[in-house]
Structure formats: C-alpha cells, structure tokens
Amino acid sequence: MSQTAVTVLIPAHNEAAVIADTLESLRVQTRPPDEVIVVDDCSSDDTGLIASRLGARVVRPEANTGFKAGAMNFGLSRVRSEWLVTLDADTMLAPDALEQILDAACEEGASATCGLVLPQRIRSLWERARFVEYLLAFGVFKPVQDWYRHPMVASGCFCLYKTEKVKALGGFPTETVGEDLDLTWRLYLAHEPVKYASRAICYPVEPPNLYYMRRQLIRWSHGFVQNVRLHGRQILGVPMLRSFVIVAFLDALLGGLLYLFVTPLLAIAYGFRYLAALYAVDCLIVAGPILWKGHRLGMLRQALASLPFVYVLRLMNLYYFWRALILECLFRRQLRVFQKGH
C-alpha cells in the first residue's frame, strides 16, 4: 500500500442531505486520506456546517463558481499533497476504495486513475437503467480501453490524480461542462498515462426520476460534443484514444438509429422473422456482459431485474445526443450551466 500523502477534494453545493454519508465512508477507509477539503460553493443549506462537524476542512468562495470545475479549482490551490482525489459530495466509497486506487496508480505510474462506478440505490426505473449501463460500461468497455492503456474518460465522481500534473495543466478545465472528459484528454495530449482500477468501487446517487435523469443526460451529451469540438483535431494524433472516441461518437450518432429504424426497415423488406432474430442477437450481446459483470459483483439478481431498462436509456441517450449535437454545432448554443443530476 502506498504511504504517500493524499487529499480528498469534494466540491459541494446544497448537499446537506448526502454529504454526511460520503464523509463517513472516508472515515472508515482501510487507507484513510491525510486531509479532506470540502469546497462549500455558497450553499444555502447546512452543507458546510455538517462537513465541518465531521472533521473536514471547509473552504468557501465569496460567490458561487457556477461550475463543479470552478469549485475544485478553488480547493486545488489549497492542496499540498502528492496525490489528489476528487470525489462528488453524493458519492460513497467502498471501505478499501482509496487503498485500491492508490495501489493501482502507483503500480502503473498513472497521472490519473478512476474507479468502478455503481449506483448507491437501485430502486427506480432510472436508477436501474443507470445500473445496467454501468455494468456494461465498466464490465466491458473500460477494461478493454484500459488494456490498451487509454480509458476514454477518468470518471469525475471518483478519481485520483497526481496533484502536480493537474496544476501543470492549469487546474480543472472550465471550457466545457464535461470537465472529467476534458481533463482526461488534456492529460493524454500531455503524454500522461491514465488508469482504470476495477477494484476501487464508488457509489454515487443516481437520478431517481425523469427530471434529474434528463438534466444529467443533457450535461453529459453536451459535455461530450463540446470536448469533441474542442479537442477533436488534437486527439487524432493519439492512436488508441482516437479509435475509442470515433467508435463512441459513431455509436452515439448512429447506433440508436440503426436499432430503431434501419432494423425494422430490413424486417419489412426481408420478413419479420429477421426482425425477431436481429433483436434477439442484440439482446444477447447486451445481456451477456451485463449479467456476467453482475455475477462477478454478487449482484446477479439486481442485474437480471434491471436488464430491460437499459433499452429505455438507449432511446434517451440517442435523443439527447442528437439534441446536443444540433444545439452545439448547428445553432451554436453552448451549454454553460452545470445541471445537477440528482
């Protein structure tokens, strides 16, 4: 286990309902952090008071920064440790998460290391949809990307960084609403390695209803489009990252359209038995990795019960990606308001 100093930085705005659980999960870590800094971004509730009572160092800007990245930059200037963990205020950690992520980063010499993400609650349709999407993403896509040493994004809800590397890049970027994707790609462009630690598990609060899911998808879709526009030409020079980004972009752009429109048209042309066969094959391709990862995590029942909801989220991802693409590229209406997803 690494013995180097690590600071946990938590940006928070009106998180009184969840921040105590997050801080408690830090208190019981097998490798406790050396310092916890909570940036109370001008909350109107008791976020700062609760964090202070639970032992965190609370700092507060004079005015709300307007961005998660802005709050983290306010706290970053106060970090003196070699390692920095960014943690969302609504995200609990497994008891050994810090130990696992530090060990993975030190072993690989990574400048950024992200962990496995699982929803804190799996009850509503939307939480179940996010759960199975995470099983697919972190059970298949992330390990493949990590095998090629290029995870496409170091997920911002729980990520470990070398402090000096973040400061050398000017801190957390504020040019987009997807600061975690933005910083990941900036690290690659600076020839810094990024790692995925599958044993470092975090549990964020996911959108419990359509209102918050919509806000989260708007932010994520606009963040992806903004980063492709901002870094697109540069990442063409990073071979594996280039490949993963192109595949992700084409899947978001065309995957849902093929599933919804092209497949039924082929069925009309060649017979509806082909439609059933194609959808059956698609279901197996999606269900297999989800159920396998659910089994590995001891969550097979939840994965099986939640499986149908991945198709609901597939349709929503398609709609909000196209919406973001049209607004950002055609109408030049850039999203600049950070929309909270819970």
Side-chain angles (χ1 to χ4, degrees), residues 17-48:
V18 294
I19 197 165
D21 290 336
T22 297
L23 293 172
E24 176 62 18
S25 76
L26 288 172
R27 188 186 68 81
V28 298
Q29 288 295 301
T30 55
R31 196 295 188 192
D34 297 277
E35 184 177 27
V36 177
I37 299 176
V38 172
V39 181
D40 179 13
D41 201 5
C42 298
S43 300
S44 58
D45 62 10
D46 291 333
T47 296

Side-chain angles (χ1 to χ4, degrees), residues 109-305:
S111 295
T113 307
C114 61
L116 169 63
V117 183
L118 293 173
Q120 198 173 120
R121 297 188 294 263
I122 309 173
R123 294 194 292 259
S124 72
L125 181 158
W126 310 107
E127 290 164 341
R128 289 181 179 277
R130 185 61 78 209
F131 170 56
V132 287
E133 187 177 63
Y134 283 163
L135 290 180
L136 186 61
F138 290 91
V140 178
F141 304 141
K142 209 75 144 186
V144 170
Q145 293 168 2
D146 188 59
W147 175 264
Y148 288 101
R149 299 183 179 275
H150 279 82
M152 195 173 77
V153 56
S155 308
C157 59
F158 172 45
C159 193
L160 174 72
Y161 299 99
K162 284 185 178 178
T163 306
E164 64 175 356
K165 301 299 182 182
V166 178
K167 290 184 175 181
L169 291 174
F172 297 93
T174 58
E175 287 88 341
T176 74
V177 292
E179 82 294 326
D180 52 355
L181 186 63
D182 196 342
L183 183 55
T184 304
W185 291 4
R186 289 173 190 262
L187 285 167
Y188 284 131
L189 293 171
H191 307 289
E192 298 292 344
V194 177
K195 174 72 180 170
Y196 165 55
S198 61
R199 295 183 179 181
I201 306 176
C202 70
Y203 304 95
V205 173
E206 292 297 335
N209 53 46
L210 177 59
Y211 172 77
Y212 284 113
M213 179 61 80
R214 177 181 176 275
R215 290 167 67 89
Q216 187 184 71
L217 290 175
I218 288 174
R219 188 179 78 246
W220 286 8
S221 298
H222 279 264
F224 183 55
V225 173
Q226 288 173 5
N227 275 287
V228 169
R229 292 189 65 194
L230 182 65
H231 299 295
R233 292 184 179 179
Q234 292 175 294
I235 62 175
L236 291 176
V238 186
M240 290 313 304
L241 178 62
R242 173 185 64 208
S243 301
F244 292 137
V245 172
I246 289 174
V247 169
F249 189 87
L250 290 177
D251 179 63
L253 185 69
L254 301 174
L257 292 177
L258 292 173
Y259 182 79
L260 285 175
F261 302 111
V262 176
T263 302
L265 288 175
L266 289 174
I268 293 172
Y270 296 102
F272 282 92
R273 65 182 181 276
Y274 292 102
L275 179 66
L278 287 170
Y279 282 141
V281 169
D282 176 78
C283 183
L284 289 173
I285 291 173
V286 172
I290 288 174
L291 297 179
W292 173 80
K293 188 63 177 179
H295 171 71
R296 291 288 301 272
L297 293 169
M299 306 177 76
L300 182 58
R301 284 187 180 181
Q302 295 98 314
L304 193 59

Side-chain angles (χ1 to χ4, degrees), residues 72-90:
M72 290 193 294
N73 283 330
F74 185 81
L76 180 63
S77 62
R78 293 156 174 80
V79 176
R80 299 291 180 266
S81 58
E82 179 181 355
W83 294 99
L84 164 68
V85 167
T86 57
L87 183 66
D88 283 358
D90 65 351

Side-chain angles (χ1 to χ4, degrees), residues 41-64:
D41 201 5
C42 298
S43 300
S44 58
D45 62 10
D46 291 333
T47 296
L49 180 62
I50 294 170
S52 181
R53 286 176 176 173
L54 291 174
R57 177 187 175 191
V58 178
V59 296
R60 183 181 174 103
E62 293 183 2
N64 182 269

